[in-house]
Amino acid sequence: MKTMTKKPEILAPAGTLEKLKIAIRYGADAVYIGGNRFGLRSRAGNFSYDEMKEGVDFAKKHHAKVYVAANMVTHEGDEEGAGEFFRTLRDIGINAVIVSDPALIEICAIEAEGLPIHLSTQASATNYETLNFWQQEGLERVVLAREVSMEEIKEIRQNTDVEIEAFIHGAMCISYSGRCTLSNHMSNRDANRGGCSQSCRWKYDLFEIPRPGEQTSVLAGDPVEDFSMSAVDMSMIRHIPDLVENGVDSLKIEGRMKSIHYVSTVSNVYRKAIDTYCRDPENYIFKQEWENELWKVAQRELASGFYYGTPTENEQLFGKRRKIPAYAFVGQVLEYNAETQIATIQQRNNFGVGDVVEFYGPGFTHTYQTIEQLWDEEDVPIERAPKAMMIVKMKVNTPVKPFDIMRKRK
Amino acid sequence: MIEIIATAESVEQAKALVATDVDTLYIGEDAFGLRLPKSFSRNEITEIIKIAHEQNKQVSVAVNAIMHNDRIKTVVPYLQFLQEVGADSVTIGDPGVIHLLQTHGINLPFIYDAQTLVTSAKHINFWAKRGAVGAVLAREIMYEELKSIGTKVTVPVEVQVYGATCIHHSKRPLVENYYNYTKEHKPNTNALYISEPKKPETHYSIYEDINGTHVFNTNDINLFPHLDKLVEIGLTRWKLDGVFTRGKDYVEIARLFAKAKQMLLDDKWTQEQMEQLNEQLMQHHPKERTLDEGFFLKDPSEVQ
Ligand code: SF4
């Protein structure tokens, strides 16, 4: 029987300490977070050094790793303080930093020796010689550009032994990463320093200028559809075997701005699929329920990006969007009493008696039920749980466990 | 020393440009170079190098594409060809190509050009330590930053002083996908534009080639009125891009820059002269395109 000698790492985004813990509990082998500076997500939750420390301690206990994204493209002066920043990260026990800017790479390599460096996708690495170059520079890993195909990954793997990380899930830049300054020019916001205003998702008019001063809209009259560059998101859930067989070392999930609901669900699904494959590759079959699960937290439709060919009009966001079922994260299980079948739940969104809810938890457990009985903390029966973060008790039909999440269709 | 670098769209135009006192021609083929006015055959490249060298001018060849495996396999013979025919330098944006130059012992000076990513002196110096003889600055750099960069770089840097600015490079065929979706007839032209929502006066050029889709800023760059400032801060490698300014008009614009260079060197540059020549420049600039100074006059705190 064939067995997989090496399982790829599942790398999940964590915008906050709470998300970091959830991602790891739900199956991530590693998480990536942002520090207070040098990142690209100025608006995502960023970690203080104390929070990083707590995150690292938690991760260590669960045999997981923590990386810090410092993938800003620096302008004059931006690099100030980077040496100290990287040294602090190293001393806290961060496992690696994700960097694209050579100025920052150099500072990190010289001033924080011993802290592994991963080349960010922002550098758009698309061939094996580039990977060899960065390996020779001492980098531990290269995150591939999202434009690289599966065939290309196979060839890259055969021609380099630096670690390879590839995106498997989430939203994508329409441009080659780092090669878009639409935001800079249209909104005075620097895309490569965390200010991207998502101009690629806007609706544009497309036209010709046959003679000076004569703009002729090619959409004039009754435009069938505005021009847009916007595209669907990526999901590689159907292609786990290819990723593993071609030797990708780390499978990256996008979304440091995404919710707990998203992070837990996506980590959980990929954990399940990868474990299933690696346990018995020959008898592996893709399960539709995994994809259905990903749909519950999807923002847009899902496709396989550039892995199996250049995206066509079908992967662009034109026309009417398929309706995506929207689910809300309504509660998290704190405790469960097997004798009484009562679960203690922390409220995250309004729910109440009569609602149909779903519990899911680490290990890809799923149960469904209609809420029949509900009590507040003082055991007083209630109909609804309207207050943010209130603690309630609830009768459950099947056992649940702490950290299970309760969701409800909106 | 001021150096004027200009793209060329034909052998004929290359000849005319050489005659205008341009110092360096910038050419290449689409498989390896980005957004060139013309993808030249190897014979044409050989011929242009010969023409330039006869007049003691230089030729720099664009090898600045983002290379996938297929190109990285064919780039070595291309570099060897360029070395053989005497190209004076190449621009490179993909570190894999730098790696190959070195592992194959190809003796071609290279200028680091990763477009939007080249934004600081420290970044440029990183590549200088790895052999780069120069670098091309991103277009999104402001005067205050240029000033700082000028004092810190260990190799000369190029600043674009004229022409279109690419602000988005996607591997997706965005225009083709659009027409495939609408099933409308795709106009037989590369002169398509997009305008921002609620800003019909904007006109961002958009086209596709084998490297993907390219979107250009609504205004082309013109730093003619600010050349003296560039001289002051020591940034004197000036690039003119003719991807949207064609034929004789482009040659005339190059001639104006060459003239400005001479006047600056001779200390004869006056405000009046500048205005008069700039006026002429606008006459030759395509009527359907607009000009401004790009990010040059922006305040670094304006852009977040
Ligand atoms: S506008 Fe779109 S393509 Fe450009 S940087 Fe932002 S997300 Fe990427």
Side-chain angles (χ1 to χ4, degrees):
Chain A
M1 191 182 109
K2 185 177 165 188
T3 45
M4 287 314 298
T5 45
K6 193 170 170 285
K7 258 192 212 183
E9 161 188 285
I10 297 174
L11 175 55
T16 62
L17 195 51
E18 190 187 9
K19 291 177 195 171
L20 176 150
K21 292 178 181 173
I22 285 284
I24 293 174
R25 286 191 196 282
Y26 276 77
D29 300 294
V31 293
Y32 61 102
I33 64 175
N36 281 330
R37 289 188 58 201
F38 309 112
L40 267 191
R41 294 282 175 273
S42 41
R43 283 161 295 161
N46 287 319
F47 283 62
S48 69
Y49 291 138
D50 285 344
E51 289 169 323
M52 282 186 191
K53 183 83 193 90
E54 194 182 332
V56 166
D57 289 344
F58 180 88
K60 275 208 186 112
K61 244 184 263 151
H62 293 81
H63 310 289
K65 292 179 175 167
V66 181
Y67 309 141
V68 172
N71 49 351
M72 164 196 265
V73 177
T74 59
H75 281 233
E76 288 298 283
D78 286 341
E79 77 286 359
E80 250 165 63
E84 205 196 321
F85 177 78
F86 290 127
R87 267 195 308 281
T88 311
L89 264 44
R90 180 192 62 190
D91 299 343
I92 283 175
I94 291 295
N95 298 91
V97 285
I98 308 165
V99 189
S100 71
D101 187 61
L104 293 180
I105 289 175
E106 184 174 86
I107 293 173
C108 186
I110 294 174
E111 297 189 33
E113 229 190 306
L115 177 61
I117 303 173
H118 296 174
L119 186 74
S120 159
T121 194
Q122 206 66 10
S124 283
T126 49
N127 65 74
Y128 47 83
E129 294 297 350
T130 295
L131 272 70
N132 287 330
F133 173 88
W134 288 113
Q135 183 177 35
Q136 183 190 294
E137 288 288 333
L139 272 59
E140 175 182 77
R141 177 185 293 183
V142 174
V143 187
L144 296 177
R146 292 172 174 91
E147 287 76 9
V148 172
S149 72
M150 193 56 79
E151 272 306 305
E152 288 171 340
I153 290 187
K154 188 175 184 175
E155 211 179 358
I156 288 173
R157 180 72 296 162
Q158 287 160 358
N159 287 282
T160 173
D161 48 22
V162 68
E163 289 181 16
I164 296 175
E165 178 176 311
F167 276 91
I168 55 163
H169 198 89
M172 289 182 285
C173 228
I174 303 308
S175 71
Y176 275 107
S177 283
R179 300 299 182 103
C180 171
T181 53
L182 290 174
S183 281
N184 302 51
H185 291 266
M186 293 177 179
S187 335
N188 268 338
R189 300 178 58 98
D190 190 341
N192 286 331
R193 286 188 288 175
C196 166
S197 50
Q198 304 258 316
S199 316
C200 62
R201 306 258 184 214
W202 298 353
K203 301 269 184 203
Y204 294 86
D205 185 31
L206 180 70
F207 57 90
E208 295 176 81
I209 308 183
R211 271 170 298 279
E214 265 181 51
Q215 292 198 355
T216 323
S217 176
V218 284
L219 323 170
D222 188 15
V224 192
E225 179 72 28
D226 286 326
F227 178 81
S228 174
M229 310 176 206
S230 194
V232 304
D233 291 347
M234 181 199 283
S235 170
M236 286 295 282
I237 190 62
R238 288 171 178 262
H239 308 285
I240 295 300
D242 276 359
L243 290 161
V244 181
E245 297 298 331
N246 288 319
V248 180
D249 298 281
S250 177
L251 308 178
K252 186 175 215 158
I253 298 162
E254 180 275 343
R256 276 201 289 132
M257 319 264 280
K258 298 273 170 64
S259 65
I260 290 194
H261 184 207
Y262 173 91
V263 169
S264 57
T265 302
V266 179
S267 304
N268 212 10
V269 168
Y270 283 100
R271 176 82 278 149
K272 180 73 182 172
I274 285 156
D275 286 352
T276 307
Y277 179 73
C278 291
R279 197 174 307 123
D280 184 5
E282 273 153 31
N283 296 305
Y284 172 86
I285 15 171
F286 160 75
K287 290 220 179 67
Q288 186 56 46
E289 63 183 34
W290 298 337
E291 195 172 59
N292 296 350
E293 189 66 14
L294 292 172
W295 263 103
K296 293 178 183 170
V297 292
Q299 207 183 355
R300 303 182 185 90
E301 291 188 53
L302 302 169
S304 56
F306 285 81
Y307 284 113
Y308 301 99
T310 303
T312 68
E313 65 274 18
N314 297 324
E315 286 82 47
Q316 303 277 151
L317 281 177
F318 294 129
K320 282 228 167 49
R321 315 279 157 89
R322 192 166 124 199
K323 191 110 179 68
I324 296 174
Y327 285 79
F329 168 25
V330 292
Q332 185 172 9
V333 177
L334 301 178
E335 264 173 53
Y336 172 68
N337 184 329
E339 253 164 62
T340 58
Q341 282 190 295
I342 302 264
T344 308
I345 289 168
Q346 183 183 55
Q347 189 264 27
R348 295 305 184 97
N349 260 303
N350 193 329
F351 66 92
V353 172
D355 290 350
V356 179
V357 293
E358 173 189 354
F359 287 97
Y360 67 95
F364 210 67
T365 58
H366 289 268
T367 60
Y368 301 83
Q369 78 167 80
T370 304
I371 300 179
E372 283 151 8
Q373 280 178 295
L374 216 52
W375 300 270
D376 71 7
E377 242 177 322
E378 267 81 55
D379 294 323
V380 180
I382 49 173
E383 278 297 302
R384 301 209 66 81
K387 261 189 276 153
M389 306 299 272
M390 71 186 287
I391 309 291
V392 300
K393 291 177 185 169
M394 169 181 164
K395 178 96 178 178
V396 291
N397 301 342
T398 32
V400 292
K401 24 185 213 319
F403 305 109
D404 279 3
I405 287 176
M406 182 169 88
R407 64 156 78 103
K408 182 183 108 177
R409 192 159 180 162
K410 276 189 197 155
Chain B
M1 198 8 220
I2 297 172
E3 180 183 351
I4 294 180
I5 305 159
T7 58
E9 64 178 28
S10 64
V11 174
E12 280 315 299
Q13 198 194 43
K15 278 186 196 154
L17 285 165
V18 164
T20 65
D21 230 11
V22 155
D23 302 281
T24 303
L25 296 176
Y26 186 55
I27 57 169
E29 88 178 46
D30 281 348
F32 303 104
L34 292 176
R35 300 177 281 275
L36 300 160
K38 163 96 199 293
S39 184
F40 285 114
S41 70
R42 305 224 170 159
N43 281 340
E44 287 167 322
I45 290 175
T46 311
E47 197 182 342
I48 290 172
I49 291 176
K50 200 164 147 264
I51 292 164
H53 285 178
E54 275 167 11
Q55 304 295 322
N56 286 323
K57 309 285 177 172
Q58 304 217 323
V59 175
S60 182
V61 179
V63 191
N64 60 347
I66 296 173
M67 314 260 171
H68 287 252
N69 293 346
D70 57 341
R71 307 271 172 87
I72 209 76
K73 278 182 229 162
T74 47
V75 77
V76 170
Y78 186 57
L79 293 167
Q80 283 162 340
F81 153 76
L82 293 175
Q83 180 186 13
E84 233 159 76
V85 296
D88 298 282
S89 65
V90 290
T91 56
I92 300 181
D94 191 318
V97 183
I98 297 172
H99 190 65
L100 287 172
L101 267 188
Q102 288 162 354
T103 50
H104 285 74
I106 299 168
N107 188 16
L108 267 180
F110 78 89
I111 294 164
Y112 184 68
D113 180 13
Q115 302 278 302
T116 51
L117 301 175
V118 189
T119 50
S120 77
K122 201 163 169 65
H123 182 164
I124 291 164
N125 293 344
F126 175 96
W127 295 107
K129 284 179 211 156
R130 284 146 186 87
V133 299
V136 182
L137 280 174
R139 278 45 157 173
E140 290 77 18
I141 312 240
M142 292 144 261
Y143 172 72
E144 285 302 324
E145 298 173 333
L146 290 173
K147 211 159 112 182
S148 167
I149 290 171
T151 61
K152 292 186 191 151
V153 283
T154 54
V155 289
V157 292
E158 287 176 24
V159 179
Q160 186 185 4
V161 293
Y162 174 79
T165 307
C166 177
I167 62 173
H168 180 96
H169 175 195
S170 174
K171 191 170 193 271
R172 298 164 190 264
L174 297 171
V175 178
E176 187 186 311
N177 285 353
Y178 174 78
Y179 281 102
N180 283 345
Y181 176 80
T182 58
K183 310 229 163 32
E184 304 263 295
H185 173 68
K186 182 178 172 187
N188 186 18
T189 167
N190 240 353
L192 282 172
Y193 301 80
I194 56 175
S195 61
E196 278 176 74
K198 302 203 191 76
K199 287 193 191 163
E201 72 284 4
T202 55
H203 43 268
Y204 298 85
S205 287
I206 181 166
Y207 74 77
E208 290 170 5
D209 64 14
I210 60 165
N211 293 303
T213 306
H214 312 273
V215 180
F216 294 79
N217 194 22
T218 187
N219 296 321
D220 294 344
I221 287 183
N222 177 27
L223 292 186
F224 201 85
H226 308 288
L227 295 176
D228 51 344
K229 292 195 201 75
L230 287 173
V231 172
E232 245 166 60
I233 58 175
L235 299 185
T236 52
R237 277 201 189 180
W238 299 340
K239 193 175 249 170
L240 317 185
D241 189 313
V243 69
F244 289 112
T245 309
R246 314 300 297 210
K248 288 208 173 66
D249 282 317
Y250 179 71
V251 176
E252 286 314 310
I253 286 172
R255 194 190 306 283
L256 291 167
F257 275 94
K259 201 164 173 181
K261 164 188 160 177
Q262 209 44 57
M263 294 171 81
L264 280 156
L265 289 174
D266 298 344
D267 225 358
K268 287 189 181 139
W269 189 242
T270 63
Q271 179 70 16
E272 208 185 346
Q273 281 281 3
M274 181 278 286
E275 278 169 19
Q276 198 198 335
L277 296 179
N278 193 40
E279 197 49 50
Q280 289 179 32
L281 185 152
M282 313 243 246
Q283 295 303 318
H284 291 291
H285 187 68
K287 292 294 159 287
E288 69 281 11
R289 305 186 68 81
T290 45
L291 284 168
D292 72 7
E293 67 292 325
F295 275 56
F296 193 78
L297 296 181
K298 286 192 186 184
D299 187 280
S301 66
E302 249 178 89
V303 183
Q304 288 165 356

